[in-house]
């Protein structure tokens, strides 16, 4: 009987030790993964500061073309045609307002790096590394004199959801690398949508409400600047530790 109790206690002790070991290993891998991601994030922030952030504006061109194709057909009743025409005009107006507000906010608040503005319909020219001829000016007109230096790092800021691979997709302003991959925390790659304070009330009574793009762009810039400063401090501390270590050796 005593032997059985001893064996049982020994078995439970072994299980406890094993669980602690698994927890320790899991924590170790989490810490190692974070250290790696943090190092990569510091590299990205330095490269972005030296390079260019390309702001990808939405055009809703596919939606608008589909609506126009329906309007051009003879399948719609007069009532359906009026309703669809209103929906298309509302979409055109909303996307124009969105893009103008983003461009105004960029000019006012974004100073962390060079930036260029481009419509989503012209992104293929960016990925083909065409240097000029498709970037937009402050009036959202194509400016032939605006160009980009592909010898320096290029990042992209888009309005939309985070990537599908994430368990919890969130929507806002997302920063990706040139290969279209979302950057990872601790890099401040996501700025969530900032709605006006009374947005729920306005939506309830049926009026249109737009995100606070000025607040979002200002937060993008401040988050990047803060992370850049912290990254520089971390590098200086690491260099100082290495110098002290070298002197001791």
């Amino acid at each position: 009987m005593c032997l059985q109790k001893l064996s049982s206690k020994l078995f439970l002790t072994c299980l406890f030790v094993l669980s602690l070991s698994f927890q320790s290993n899991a924590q170790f891998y989490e810490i190692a993964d974070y250290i790696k991601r943090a190092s990569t994030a510091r590299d990205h922030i330095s490269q972005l500061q030296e390079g260019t952030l390309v702001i990808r504006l939405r055009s809703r061109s596919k939606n608008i073309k589909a609506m126009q194709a329906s309007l051009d057909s003879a399948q719609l009743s007069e009532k359906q045609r009026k309703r669809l025409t209103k929906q298309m005009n509302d979409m055109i107006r909303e996307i124009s307002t969105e893009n103008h507000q983003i461009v105004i906010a960029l000019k006012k608040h974004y100073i962390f790096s060079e930036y260029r503005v481009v419509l989503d319909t012209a992104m293929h020219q960016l990925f083909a590394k065409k240097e000029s001829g498709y970037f937009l000016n402050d009036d959202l007109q194509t400016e032939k004199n605006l160009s980009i230096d592909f010898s320096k790092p290029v990042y992209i800021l888009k309005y939309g959801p985070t990537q599908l691979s994430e368990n919890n997709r969130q929507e806002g302003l997302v920063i990706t690398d040139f290969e279209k991959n979302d950057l990872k925390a601790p890099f401040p790659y996501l700025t969530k949508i900032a709605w006006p304070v009374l947005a729920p009330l306005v939506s309830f009574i049926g009026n249109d409400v737009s995100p606070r793009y000025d607040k979002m762009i200002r937060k993008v810039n401040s988050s990047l600047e803060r992370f850049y400063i912290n990254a520089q401090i971390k590098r200086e501390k690491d260099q100082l530790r290495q110098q002290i270590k070298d002197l001791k050796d």
Side-chain angles (χ1 to χ4, degrees), residues 95-108:
I95 203 66
S96 176
T97 299
E98 174 184 305
N99 290 340
H100 275 96
Q101 289 181 356
I102 290 174
V103 168
I104 290 171
L106 285 165
K107 185 177 180 180
K108 186 175 180 181

Side-chain angles (χ1 to χ4, degrees), residues 12-78:
L12 291 174
T13 302
C14 289
L15 284 179
F16 179 70
V17 171
L18 282 172
S19 67
L20 288 179
S21 176
F22 287 140
Q23 290 178 13
S24 298
N25 287 337
Q27 290 176 349
F28 172 79
Y29 286 121
E30 286 180 7
I31 293 171
D33 179 63
Y34 178 83
I35 291 173
K36 182 179 179 180
R37 285 189 288 108
S39 177
T40 301
R42 289 193 293 273
D43 290 339
H44 279 308
I45 197 67
S46 295
Q47 292 171 18
L48 174 55
Q49 204 275 333
E50 297 170 358
T52 305
L53 182 65
V54 175
I55 288 76
R56 173 187 179 272
L57 298 182
R58 300 190 296 179
S59 66
R60 300 281 184 89
S61 60
K62 291 183 179 179
N63 303 79
I64 294 169
K65 285 180 181 178
M67 290 179 178
Q68 188 60 59
S70 297
L71 289 171
D72 292 340
S73 71
Q75 305 296 322
L76 299 179
S77 66
E78 189 62 28

Side-chain angles (χ1 to χ4, degrees), residues 86-200:
K86 183 181 183 303
Q87 290 176 351
M88 186 178 71
N89 290 336
D90 287 346
M91 180 176 290
I92 293 172
R93 186 184 68 254
E94 287 171 8
I95 203 66
S96 176
T97 299
E98 174 184 305
N99 290 340
H100 275 96
Q101 289 181 356
I102 290 174
V103 168
I104 290 171
L106 285 165
K107 185 177 180 180
K108 186 175 180 181
H109 299 297
Y110 189 80
I111 59 173
F112 181 75
S113 69
E114 290 287 329
Y115 73 86
R116 291 289 180 266
V117 179
V118 63
L119 277 176
D120 55 9
T121 52
M123 288 296 289
H124 64 283
Q125 298 185 71
L126 178 76
F127 294 125
K129 295 190 175 181
K130 185 178 178 181
E131 294 183 349
S132 62
Y134 56 99
F135 295 110
L136 305 180
N137 59 24
D138 294 340
D139 297 319
L140 296 180
Q141 301 297 317
T142 302
E143 183 68 58
K144 293 181 179 180
N145 295 329
L146 288 173
S147 62
I148 189 169
D149 184 357
F150 283 107
S151 68
K152 297 179 180 179
V154 175
Y155 291 83
I156 298 161
L157 183 142
K158 64 178 183 178
Y159 181 89
T162 53
Q163 291 179 342
L164 287 170
S165 59
E166 295 194 359
N167 293 327
N168 298 314
R169 296 180 71 195
Q170 301 184 69
E171 190 169 352
L173 296 177
V174 183
I175 298 178
T176 75
D177 59 23
F178 195 69
E179 285 69 42
K180 308 178 189 178
N181 300 309
D182 290 359
L183 301 187
K184 296 181 179 180
F187 190 99
Y189 73 101
L190 171 66
T191 299
K192 295 180 182 179
I193 299 175
W195 294 104
V197 177
L198 299 179

Side-chain angles (χ1 to χ4, degrees), residues 203-232:
S203 299
F204 179 75
I205 61 178
N207 289 358
D208 293 334
V209 59
S210 299
R212 288 283 308 280
Y213 297 108
D214 58 334
K215 184 176 181 180
M216 292 166 69
I217 294 296
R218 186 167 65 246
K219 186 174 181 180
V220 168
N221 189 79
S222 62
S223 296
L224 292 174
E225 287 186 332
R226 184 165 56 249
F227 188 72
Y228 178 79
I229 291 172
N230 290 336
Q232 293 298 102

